[in-house]
Amino acid sequence: PDSARPFRIVTEALTTTVLGTSFSVTAYEGETAQVAVATGKVAVQRDGHEGQTVVLLPNQQATLTQKGLEKGTFDPAELWA
């Protein structure tokens, strides 16, 4: 990883910064945007909301709701089944 040039995944509503990990980003038009981490760590920021960033560790996910980013847990076996 190059800390001067981090790997980012930018969707319509979220920016995910990879911090060394395996993860899934779901952000299809008309569906709920979600980021889930199996290993490592990522930072997820709600676009247009500088102060709203969550850091996710293994078995954690962030879901974008009308209230903002909500952090929770998930079973990786179900996500990658």
Side-chain angles (χ1 to χ4, degrees):
D2 183 348
S3 61
R5 297 180 317 171
F7 177 58
R8 291 189 172 103
I9 297 94
V10 179
T11 68
E12 184 178 326
L14 301 173
T15 298
T16 302
T17 303
V18 178
L19 306 171
T21 189
S22 59
F23 62 97
S24 171
V25 175
T26 305
Y28 298 106
E29 189 172 334
E31 294 185 20
T32 301
Q34 188 171 62
V35 177
V37 176
T39 62
K41 178 169 73 169
V42 299
V44 180
Q45 177 180 329
R46 183 176 177 196
D47 290 349
H49 296 80
E50 293 289 323
Q52 191 169 14
T53 301
V54 296
V55 174
L56 301 175
L57 300 173
N59 304 330
Q60 292 183 329
Q61 67 183 12
T63 304
L64 182 59
T65 69
Q66 290 186 0
K67 295 179 184 177
L69 281 174
E70 294 188 6
K71 189 174 177 179
T73 60
F74 75 103
D75 180 358
E78 291 181 14
L79 183 65
W80 284 283

